[in-house]
Amino acid sequence: MLPPGSVPIKDYAIETPLKDLSLSAEDDTFHEIRIDLKPNDHISAINFVLKDEETGAWYRNKGRDFKVPLINYLKTETNTIEPKRGLTLWPGFSKHSSFEKWILFFFLMLFKSRAGQDDSSESIDPKQENDQLEGYNVEIPITKKVLINNFISVSVKKYFESEEVKNLLYLETDLPGDVALHWGVCRDDSRKWEVPPAPHPSETVKFKDKALRTQFKPRGNGQGSSVQITLGEEFSGFLFVLKQNENAWFKYKGNDFYIPLSSSSNLLINGIGEYESEGVKKEITEEAIQKTSFFQFTNGTVNEIKNVVAENSSESGKVKSKEVQNSILQEIERLASEAYNFFRSSIPTFSEATTVEHRETTIVEREAAIVEPEATVQSEKLTHDIKICSATGSGYEIICQGFNWESHKSGRWYMELKEKASELSSLGFTLVWLPPPTESVSPEGYMPKDLFNLNSRYGNIGELKDLVKRFHEVGIKVLGDAVLNHRCAHYQNQNGIWNIFGGRLNWDDRAVVADDPHFQGRGNKSSGDNFHAAPNIDHSQEFVRKDLKEWLCWLRKEVGYDGWRLDFVRGFWGGYVKDYLDASEPYFAVGEYWDSLGYSYGEMDYNQDAHRQRIIDWIRATSGTASAFDVTTKGILHSALEKCEYWRLSDQEGKPPGVVGWWPSRAVTFIENHDTGSTQGHWRFPSGKEMQGYAYILTHPGTPSVFFDHILSHYKTEIEALVSIRKRNKIHCRSTVEISKAERDVYAAIIDEKIAMKIGPGHFEPSSTFHKWSLAIDGKDYKIWEASS
């Protein structure tokens, strides 16, 4: 049964080259392998992986082997399987296509014929093929870095018109094709979008009552396009994003472009933007193009440079010495470098892989630098509108979980936490996550009953509002714990089942999913995994979504929450989460998608791509509007630290092995929370190694979350020092990681070329070839260094 050219690999596999196969007049080239099977072989499945001999890259299905089951398809009269008749080949992937450089499309075909006959035998009646395997295909994209260097320039000038001061903005870009400007203004530092009054440029229309849309006009020289806008003096800032060719959105570092209007300025951005399509999100940043820069010269910067010149000048009218001139130039270079580093966005290298289950193809979504030939962005057509405010924060958030499993017991937790608000602010936290606020069957709050009743075991609604107000006073934003997956009922139905709800949201059993066997719901089937302790809510019901959006908006307005921690998001589709976030417009949101990592014979697998892919898939279902807890990173840290297997902290591509290695700006890293630690202890972090865990997450990209119990413990001083190092060096959710070592007893990395770190008992010292390093903190089995000039 072995195809020609097959070579045994040890005693468990066969290596077979794929043959080129031209299937059309356009000379589309695919790759084929043919395997003849005999009925008496009793083969139940074919397992395989693919290798690109040119690059050496291996391709698997979510970290596992591809598998074609055969046991239900083989019949006694057949010995091979053929593809579905009339299969239409996907267009655009010919040898002559520009995609040929990085798209490798494997088309695997298994043919069938009658037993004992060759391939020339008569064809089989299609009516008899219903239970036959009808084909299998997988698309493998391979990325290739290509330089992109488009720009958008913005100039702001002030002038007088009818004795009023006006702002004249001129924007131009060399982005090809049709480019639309989605824009608005703001009046203060909150940068809240507002539609300015007329007059507006020609061909300007309103966009969702939140923004204006103006088409760029081609410039006379045929190079690029431009638009001119006039604004009044009453506005403090100009906000915008770009849309190209109806299929690509561009932002800056994941946020809206912002131009201050307080003084005239010029802005030039090269290699900028963020491109989004329905299935993929990519960012163009300076990380992919090392020579790209972003400068915004303000009066303060100019004055600082002038002061440097003045301080180093000799007496007026005299020629400066060469030494003084060099000193001036060095200081100006230092200031320019600081300005560059301040605006620099760091994104890891982009790569895609396809994953296959049956015949469906899913794109692995990873955040990165987009790389395209011809400096042209191509994508699927967008099926969703621009999101003016996303729930992903600024990128510099540091979260404190402000409770543990026992916090409800005092009955006045809100008041106790209020007394610690100033201390948490001084420690450097920017977000605090509060416990569930609603009336609940369980005292911890995770079995909610009447959602509009905010008198809980933690305190009453008045105390909650005072607590949120106090955190806002000290500069900390607040996340509410929203339990949307399930809800406890007030009444029993005629069968004695608790599935009838009371309170302001008096739903009946139509609000309960139909496939939860314990609660006899009359809704639709669940869109996720059921939580069996309480009725699972059917989010496909329009009245349910309407009520939950109203509740979340009420919490934002009444309590003052800035965002959400979303409980048990495995239970319902991430698209519903996007709906709720679009309605409530939180500053930050993070979902708890927690399931088991991969294990073999009791040992954790090295490759956890399948696990982090499931979390990525959920984030992607929310259209990237929410982050998720990086359970993958926590699990890998467990094994690495507990068993002294620090090699686990680098994946096969040399990147961090958790969600933070694929989509860092949507990864909320943590080592412990109220479920895993505290008195529950469901998955406690290795004892005595907590500070190694914090040394990892507080120096790496992603958004770190610190557990309240650890802040109050003997770790407080060390945690404070690590937070200070992170903030001082402006480490953020998209910072770059260069892994220096990932060996048995030591892991070491350089982050943003600003800090070096190592954990584990093994030795590591950062190289002084390009930077001088000073030791910032030295703890038990961990060290952090800072780059010094």
Side-chain angles (χ1 to χ4, degrees), residues 75-76 171 177 247 460 670 709 714 731-732 742 745 784:
K75 290 186 174 181
T76 56
L171 299 87
N247 63 7
N460 59 44
F670 72 108
D709 288 13
H714 59 284
I731 305 302
H732 51 84
D745 61 351
I784 313 292

Side-chain angles (χ1 to χ4, degrees), residues 220-331:
N221 58 8
Q223 300 294 321
S225 53
S226 64
V227 66
Q228 184 171 291
I229 297 173
T230 301
L231 296 173
E233 179 70 3
E234 67 270 24
F235 303 114
S236 65
F238 175 71
L239 300 155
F240 72 94
V241 294
L242 301 176
K243 186 178 183 182
Q244 180 197 28
N245 296 334
E246 294 299 321
N247 63 7
W249 291 100
F250 290 87
K251 297 182 179 181
Y252 181 68
K253 304 180 185 177
N255 299 312
D256 307 326
F257 290 101
Y258 170 75
I259 308 298
L261 301 178
S262 56
S263 61
S264 298
S265 61
N266 290 287
L267 177 65
L268 173 64
I269 308 170
N270 292 310
I272 51 88
E274 177 176 89
Y275 147 58
E276 298 186 25
S277 72
E278 181 181 5
V280 185
K281 176 180 171 68
K282 310 172 183 177
E283 293 191 52
I284 306 173
T285 70
E286 296 84 359
E287 183 61 21
I289 310 162
Q290 295 294 334
K291 295 182 179 180
T292 300
S293 60
F294 173 102
F295 296 103
Q296 181 177 6
F297 293 104
T298 64
N299 289 338
T301 307
V302 173
N303 289 335
E304 190 170 354
I305 293 175
K306 287 180 178 178
N307 291 335
V308 172
V309 175
E311 291 171 3
N312 288 278
S313 297
S314 58
E315 294 181 12
S316 178
K318 293 185 178 180
V319 180
K320 303 179 181 66
S321 69
K322 187 174 182 179
E323 180 180 354
V324 172
Q325 291 178 13
N326 287 339
S327 176
I328 294 172
L329 292 175
Q330 289 173 5
E331 188 63 16

Side-chain angles (χ1 to χ4, degrees), residues 306-489:
K306 287 180 178 178
N307 291 335
V308 172
V309 175
E311 291 171 3
N312 288 278
S313 297
S314 58
E315 294 181 12
S316 178
K318 293 185 178 180
V319 180
K320 303 179 181 66
S321 69
K322 187 174 182 179
E323 180 180 354
V324 172
Q325 291 178 13
N326 287 339
S327 176
I328 294 172
L329 292 175
Q330 289 173 5
E331 188 63 16
I332 292 175
E333 185 179 7
R334 182 187 68 80
L335 291 171
S337 176
E338 288 182 358
Y340 170 77
N341 287 330
F342 178 78
F343 289 107
R344 182 183 177 196
S345 173
S346 303
I347 305 296
T349 304
F350 176 73
S351 63
E352 288 183 58
T354 55
T355 58
V356 176
E357 293 181 1
H358 306 296
R359 300 179 186 89
E360 297 180 359
T361 301
T362 304
I363 297 175
V364 177
E365 185 165 6
R366 307 185 187 177
E367 187 169 68
I370 178 173
V371 287
E372 298 281 358
E374 310 300 329
T376 302
V377 178
Q378 303 185 34
S379 73
E380 303 171 13
K381 186 174 181 180
L382 276 176
T383 59
H384 57 277
D385 293 321
I386 182 174
K387 186 76 173 69
I388 298 298
C389 299
S390 63
T392 54
S394 69
Y396 292 89
E397 282 72 32
I398 302 175
I399 301 173
C400 164
Q401 181 180 0
F403 64 100
N404 62 30
W405 193 247
E406 306 295 328
S407 296
H408 64 89
K409 288 189 173 180
S410 69
R412 57 184 306 275
W413 181 249
Y414 292 150
M415 305 311 294
E416 293 178 21
L417 194 58
K418 180 180 176 182
E419 297 170 0
K420 299 183 182 298
S422 294
E423 181 181 3
L424 294 177
S425 177
S426 67
L427 289 173
F429 293 105
T430 64
L431 276 175
V432 62
W433 158 23
L434 299 185
T438 59
E439 174 198 14
S440 171
V441 171
S442 64
E444 298 82 14
Y446 288 101
M447 300 283 280
K449 193 174 181 182
D450 184 355
L451 299 185
F452 280 90
N453 182 351
L454 301 190
N455 296 318
S456 69
R457 301 292 182 91
Y458 299 100
N460 59 44
I461 183 173
E463 293 168 339
L464 174 59
K465 293 166 69 173
D466 284 345
L467 174 61
V468 172
K469 180 181 178 183
R470 179 57 184 151
F471 273 123
H472 287 166
E473 289 173 349
V474 298
I476 296 179
K477 296 184 184 296
V478 181
L479 301 181
D481 203 323
V483 183
L484 303 179
N485 175 74
H486 50 272
R487 181 184 172 197
C488 293

Side-chain angles (χ1 to χ4, degrees), residues 125-189:
D125 185 354
K127 295 180 181 180
Q128 300 177 3
E129 296 185 50
N130 294 334
D131 56 354
Q132 303 294 317
L133 183 64
E134 296 181 333
Y136 188 90
N137 64 74
V138 55
E139 182 182 11
I140 309 291
I142 306 170
T143 59
K144 177 180 179 180
K145 285 190 176 182
V146 179
L147 179 69
I148 286 184
N149 195 19
N150 295 116
F151 75 88
I152 170 74
S153 73
V154 183
S155 65
V156 182
K157 298 186 182 298
K158 294 187 180 295
Y159 72 98
F160 285 92
E161 181 181 281
S162 302
E163 298 183 356
E164 291 185 6
V165 178
K166 298 283 187 179
N167 291 292
L168 180 64
L169 289 85
Y170 181 77
L171 299 87
E172 61 178 324
T173 180
D174 66 345
L175 284 170
D178 294 329
V179 180
L181 177 74
H182 288 249
W183 62 282
V185 294
C186 60
R187 297 179 183 270
D188 51 40
D189 291 338

